[in-house]
Amino acid sequence: MLRQSTFTKLPRSLGSAAKTATRSPASRRTFLSPPRSQPNEHLNHLDINKLSEQQTKYARQRRAFLWTGLVCSVSSLIYAAYLLQHELEKPPVQADSSLPSTDPLAGTNAAERKVVVRDEEGHELVPTGNSTVPTFPRTLSLGSFDGAVAPGTSTSGLATTITTADKTEYTLVGFGLRTVTFVGIQVYVVGYYVATSDVASLQAALTKKVNPIATTLVPGERDQLRTDLLDYAKGEEIWDELLAKGIPARSVFRVIPVRDTDFPHLRDGFVRAIQARAGKVGDEQFGEAMKHFRQIFNRGKVPAKKELLLIRDGEGKLRVVYDDGGNKKEGRPAGRQLVGTVDDERISRALWLNYLAGKKVASEPARKSIVEGIMEFVERPVGTVAAQVV
């Protein structure tokens, strides 16, 4: 006899319902929906070791590229510096005109040559490097200026000038810019010219200073002369002696302002220079000459780019010539006009020394340029430069 179960047998319908209730909702699916995945199930497929290896490889490659770029940059800078140093060590070369080697402005040293250009009319010009006064004429052709300005003449008037048909040619020796104050305010460009026919006497005198029996100086002797001329004491002694003897016989300082100025301002600078070099001279004649020199500059404005000439003749007489461009309304013709003259040779000599020599000169660049121009003269036999210029 079968043992009867302790549990009462459930009806079939209730058994089916109980089975359905015990199923997990996550495993339930319908005909159209896909099976549902567990959250973050994709992380189960990641390979941590492989990812670490890839990261290490990327960092290694990145570091290699950075070091390569750094090495290339440093190498390029070193190479560029080498090329620059190589170029700086080359002898300097200036592009000048096709002057023959015998020309006095075409020195043997290319670094010392004056660059010469030509304007539309064929005149030879030397660039100054200044934007306001860009060029200076290589030569000047000047007649003799006669006439004088009497005391009391209007400060705006100019003396009547008589210029003879015979003109003298002057050759540019050197030039430079005058500046004042510690900030270097530009005042004017000044150039030194010597009568072409008087160059031979200047050559001979300077050559004899170094070698009494020579007609031209060799490189070592030229260096000695350059050193002496640039020396404060020796240079002033040499030029003072030459000027006192009338060597060179005729010369000119050409002054071109780079900014608007006036005659009194220029006069003050000239007077200080003369007094500094002629302080021991106190005779009455010199005092009268200084007084007359001041009167010459009792005038008005001097606009920029206008020409002022200081001309010294063979006797040391000073002529001051000015070209203001003329004024038709005032009846003043254009061209160079005589402003005044000073007969005392000591005035012009002291004024010349203000540019040529001494511890304090009006323009140090002009003095050095003049000395280099002198070197171009003395490196040739005496008497040959004048023939080549003409």
Side-chain angles (χ1 to χ4, degrees), residues 4-19:
Q4 186 177 357
S5 174
T6 58
F7 294 97
T8 306
K9 187 177 181 180
L10 295 174
R12 182 178 297 178
S13 59
L14 293 178
S16 300
K19 291 181 180 180

Side-chain angles (χ1 to χ4, degrees), residues 40-177:
N40 301 326
E41 185 178 358
H42 62 283
L43 297 178
N44 297 330
H45 303 286
L46 295 178
D47 190 341
I48 300 301
N49 295 331
K50 185 177 181 180
L51 290 176
S52 177
E53 182 180 353
Q54 291 177 348
Q55 177 64 23
T56 303
K57 183 178 180 182
Y58 168 78
R60 188 185 304 113
Q61 292 177 345
R62 183 172 180 270
R63 189 163 48 250
F65 278 117
L66 291 176
W67 276 107
T68 302
L70 178 62
V71 171
C72 292
S73 299
V74 174
S75 301
S76 300
L77 291 176
I78 295 175
Y79 184 67
Y82 165 78
L83 294 179
L84 179 61
Q85 180 66 23
H86 181 69
E87 291 297 325
L88 292 176
E89 292 176 350
K90 290 182 178 180
V93 178
Q94 293 183 349
D96 57 2
S97 61
S98 56
L99 296 175
S101 60
T102 56
D103 192 281
L105 292 181
T108 55
N109 187 348
E112 301 173 359
R113 296 179 183 176
K114 294 182 178 66
V115 180
V116 179
V117 297
R118 294 180 183 273
D119 61 10
E120 297 178 353
E121 299 178 358
H123 300 144
E124 292 183 327
L125 305 173
V126 178
T128 65
N130 183 270
S131 59
T132 305
V133 185
T135 59
F136 256 42
R138 182 192 170 198
T139 59
L140 291 177
S141 183
L142 303 175
S144 61
F145 296 90
D146 296 325
V149 178
T153 302
S154 171
T155 58
S156 62
L158 293 175
T160 301
T161 304
I162 302 175
T163 305
T164 62
D166 297 334
K167 293 188 175 183
T168 302
E169 183 184 72
Y170 293 81
T171 299
L172 179 63
V173 181
F175 58 87
L177 177 68

